[in-house]
Amino acid sequence: MFTLNTNRTYTYPVALTVYDEAGKEHTGKFTATFKVMPQNQLRDLPADTLLLDQVLVGASGIEVPGEGGKLLEGDELLYALKNDPAASTALITAYQESVAKKNRPRI
């Protein structure tokens, strides 16, 4: 019998592409840890609530330097990733893909 844990977290790869000041493309991958949110809880959130604030619980394989060059960790790292437009878009895309990808029928 298949058992569904409705209170789970899982890791998923995130592909990120950014451009530097010279317009050169830099692409890399890291891993995000997402928390599954029940649909009723997502529907009941205030309209100004960000999805990533609810589902992103961790990240690894990416370095984000803070002030003084010290690498960010924990909540500071998550805040920086959610605050960066390219990283937040990549994270949202990865989350949505992770929910939908495996549940599509094969053609």
Side-chain angles (χ1 to χ4, degrees), residues 8-15 32-39 42 45 50-57 87-104:
R8 65 190 180 279
T9 60
Y10 61 94
T11 59
Y12 197 80
V14 179
T33 302
F34 295 113
K35 172 177 67 173
V36 173
M37 290 287 297
Q39 290 294 91
L42 287 173
L45 291 172
L50 299 176
L51 177 65
L52 289 178
D53 286 340
Q54 302 303 309
V55 301
L56 182 64
V57 296
S88 66
T89 299
L91 284 160
I92 291 168
T93 300
Y95 176 74
Q96 292 173 336
E97 180 181 90
S98 73
V99 171
K101 183 178 184 179
K102 295 296 181 184
N103 293 302
R104 286 184 235 152

Side-chain angles (χ1 to χ4, degrees), residues 41-81:
Q41 288 181 14
L42 287 173
R43 277 192 302 272
D44 292 343
L45 291 172
D48 62 346
T49 302
L50 299 176
L51 177 65
L52 289 178
D53 286 340
Q54 302 303 309
V55 301
L56 182 64
V57 296
S60 62
I62 187 167
E63 295 180 343
V64 179
E67 290 185 33
K70 182 179 181 238
L71 297 180
L72 300 178
E73 297 177 348
D75 289 341
E76 290 180 334
L77 173 61
L78 296 181
Y79 178 80
L81 292 172

